Amino acid sequence: MRLRTPFALLGAALLVLVGPPLLSPGSDSDTGTRIPGLRFMVPNTPGGGYDITARTAAKNAEEAGLTGDIEVFNLPGAGGTVGLTRLVGERGNGRLAMSMGLGVVGAVHTNQTPRTLADTTPIARLTEEQDIVVVGKDSPYKTIQDLLTAWKKNPGKLPVGGGSSPGGPDHLAPMLMAQAAGIAPKDVNYVPFDGGGELLASILGDKVAFGVSGVGEYLDQIKAGQLRLLAVTGPKRVPGLDAPTLREAGLDTEFTNWRGIVAPPGLSDAEREKLVTLVTELHDSPQWRESLKTHGWNDAFLPGEEFGTFLAEQDRRVGSVLKELGL
């Protein structure tokens, strides 16, 4: 039997008063960068760029001791707008964040969704990377010039696959390629897939003539010889990869993709700041720096309100490009 003496009650009261400040930074307390129960939503299928980014970020944050376990889950559909709708519906939830990028910006335009990224809380842009043009190892196209020659002759007969819906990066990149090659974008036979994982199976199975995706998604398959890399879409070659830029191949265009993290609307200042601080410290960690090298990602960190301004600019840019391409 526990005796509740006046001294015991006084001790309990003092413990309540002094307890929170004595909690160690390494506990699962709601202090610092630690957000108990934090979840990362991935708005496309496993194996795609958003998925790899989210799982890498979660693993690195845990390894760096910034927070406890982060649950990563996939909610694919409609180029990421199914996940976006879910995120906006979680108003005030400071324990949820979504991995996203340029693809979601484009999907909002092409799907004409009522929810947009302006409805979210911007946390940070993390990375930028080039897209790549790849074919299967048994493809008849040995070089980018081989592919362009065949594509110009009959663009409709050469389906190009991308891991994003129309308006996303893997769609915009081949459309800009086509325009630079003298092919009308409306004649391009673009086949959308919900993420790089689904696209990979179709490239390897010769269901598409070539694919366009992020460099970090297919590095393993390129190094293993399963995919043949024909070109990169950015301003300069990717170190360690033997492939020309589009400009080197004679196409007057270039293209890069980016990825970041947003959270639900309606967060308190403290909740928003905690998420921004967590991602900022993740960005500064040696674990994340090593992951950037491993995946071939460029550091493009842009936190909080700066990322919000960038998102608004990207929304205007994508709308303008789609209109210019007649799409």
Side-chain angles (χ1 to χ4, degrees):
M1 178 180 294
R2 189 185 309 166
L3 297 176
R4 301 183 64 83
T5 66
F7 291 104
L9 292 174
L10 177 60
L14 288 172
L15 183 61
V16 170
L17 289 173
V18 303
L22 293 177
L23 288 170
S24 70
S27 74
D28 279 333
S29 63
D30 196 19
T31 59
T33 61
R34 304 185 74 82
I35 306 175
L38 179 60
R39 307 174 78 207
F40 280 173
M41 183 199 305
V42 177
N44 63 8
T45 54
Y50 300 153
D51 187 68
I52 295 171
T53 302
R55 293 182 190 280
T56 301
K59 182 173 181 285
N60 289 171
E62 293 164 11
E63 291 172 341
L66 300 176
T67 190
D69 291 344
I70 300 174
E71 179 191 349
V72 181
F73 68 100
N74 299 76
L75 185 63
T81 56
V82 170
L84 175 62
T85 299
R86 161 74 179 275
L87 186 81
V88 175
E90 293 274 348
R91 184 176 185 84
N93 185 353
R95 302 180 191 276
L96 178 65
M98 185 177 82
S99 174
M100 49 72 70
L102 181 56
V104 178
V105 178
V108 167
H109 279 271
T110 56
N111 294 333
Q112 299 181 341
T113 59
R115 301 299 188 187
T116 74
L117 288 164
D119 297 318
T120 69
T121 300
I123 301 303
R125 185 183 69 184
L126 288 175
T127 64
E128 185 178 59
E129 69 173 339
Q130 305 196 38
D131 264 6
I132 52 176
V133 181
V134 293
V135 294
K137 64 179 181 178
D138 298 322
S139 169
Y141 310 117
K142 307 297 184 185
T143 67
I144 186 64
Q145 283 76 18
D146 292 341
L147 175 62
L148 290 174
T149 298
W151 202 23
K152 289 177 185 178
K153 284 182 180 178
N154 199 332
K157 283 194 174 180
L158 268 70
V160 50
S164 59
S165 62
D170 299 349
H171 172 251
L172 292 176
M175 293 301 168
L176 293 170
M177 284 174 57
Q179 186 183 53
I183 300 170
K186 64 181 179 59
D187 293 335
V188 175
N189 182 5
Y190 178 76
V191 183
F193 294 87
D194 203 353
E198 287 188 1
L199 171 62
L200 177 62
S202 290
I203 299 173
L204 296 176
D206 295 325
K207 299 293 175 56
V208 293
F210 66 104
V212 176
S213 190
V215 61
E217 295 178 62
Y218 293 159
L219 277 177
D220 290 344
Q221 290 78 13
I222 292 169
K223 291 177 180 177
Q226 295 176 298
L227 294 177
R228 182 182 302 136
L229 176 60
L230 300 185
V232 297
T233 67
K236 53 187 178 181
R237 293 190 178 210
V238 176
L241 296 180
D242 184 20
T245 66
L246 295 178
R247 290 195 188 281
E248 288 177 321
L251 299 180
D252 188 19
T253 190
E254 63 184 48
F255 181 87
T256 55
N257 185 20
W258 56 267
R259 296 192 181 95
I261 295 176
V262 293
L267 301 190
S268 67
D269 289 344
E271 288 172 324
R272 180 185 60 80
E273 187 59 31
K274 180 165 285 191
L275 281 166
V276 172
T277 300
L278 170 61
V279 178
T280 299
E281 295 200 17
L282 167 67
H283 165 260
D284 294 337
S285 71
Q287 290 84 355
W288 180 252
R289 296 290 177 177
E290 185 61 32
S291 292
L292 291 176
K293 295 177 185 177
T294 300
H295 294 287
W297 295 334
N298 295 321
D299 183 8
F301 188 66
L302 204 62
E305 292 181 3
E306 293 175 85
F307 182 40
T309 300
F310 173 81
L311 284 177
E313 292 171 350
Q314 287 289 287
D315 183 66
R316 289 190 292 270
R317 176 174 177 261
V318 168
S320 176
V321 171
L322 289 173
K323 185 176 180 180
E324 179 187 342
L325 294 175
L327 301 170

